[in-house]
Amino acid sequence: MIDIKGTLVSEGQGGVYNERMLGNFRVWDPYRSKLAALWYLDKMTALGKDEVVLYLGAANGTTVSHVADYVESVYAVEFAPRPMEDLLAVAKKRKNIVPIYADATRPVRYAALLEPADLLYQDVAQPDQAGIAVKHLPFVKSGGRLILMLKTRSVDIRKSADEVFADTCEELTAGGYLVEKSVWLDPYHKDHAAIVCRKR
Ligand code: SAM
């Protein structure tokens, strides 16, 4: 990952969403992107240039665009029509983004479009976040990674953030992931934890 005097950046062809530029580099804001927040809090979670990424919850492609600056290719899944339009515009300018308009709870519908992923990145803010990650285990290479951005309030508002976190880790473990570490994303994103796993 590239940082310029402590500021995370990525190197792409021009700006995508009016982000700040530092010379030719695009500033990757931790308040707008959970993956950037994770980097500020844990410098070990880096992206590799040869990696294939399966990205669930692409939204309008802001974080996707930064990820695409670093890796070989990004398969970006989004099911909401409006953000999908923006994502398509981003993908038009970056040849290593494959936009997929689909519901991530039904991976069987787009399985044929995918290649095995080195990294499954998930940011869907849905009740069944662990279940969605487990359904995508077959698309992750053996020993590949999962970074799940857990929004605890989307899972169950009656439970504490810690309880939701513990339940999620249990479900991921039972589903075939080894939880390696977790990082709460405060102060950048409240009630969000990044759970970093490996496929067993
Ligand atoms: N990752 C984005 C970023 O950093 O720019 C933000 C993602 S936003 C928190 C969550 C996104 O997940 C929304 O755009 C939503 O439409 C999408 N989403 C939620 N459930 C989904 C599902 N089942 N399938 C596909 N996309 C989903």
Side-chain angles (χ1 to χ4, degrees), residues 168-187:
T168 304
C169 289
E170 203 174 297
E171 198 175 334
L172 291 172
T173 305
Y177 290 103
L178 180 68
V179 177
E180 287 191 336
K181 68 176 147 184
S182 59
V183 179
W184 288 94
L185 298 182
D186 290 293

Side-chain angles (χ1 to χ4, degrees), residues 32-34 55 57-60 62-63 77-80 83 102-105 121 123-126 132:
R32 294 191 64 162
S33 168
K34 283 154 225 145
Y55 190 125
N60 46 15
T62 54
T63 298
V77 179
E78 173 57 50
F79 79 165
D103 180 351
T105 63
Y121 179 77
D123 182 17
V124 291
Q126 285 279 325
I132 291 172

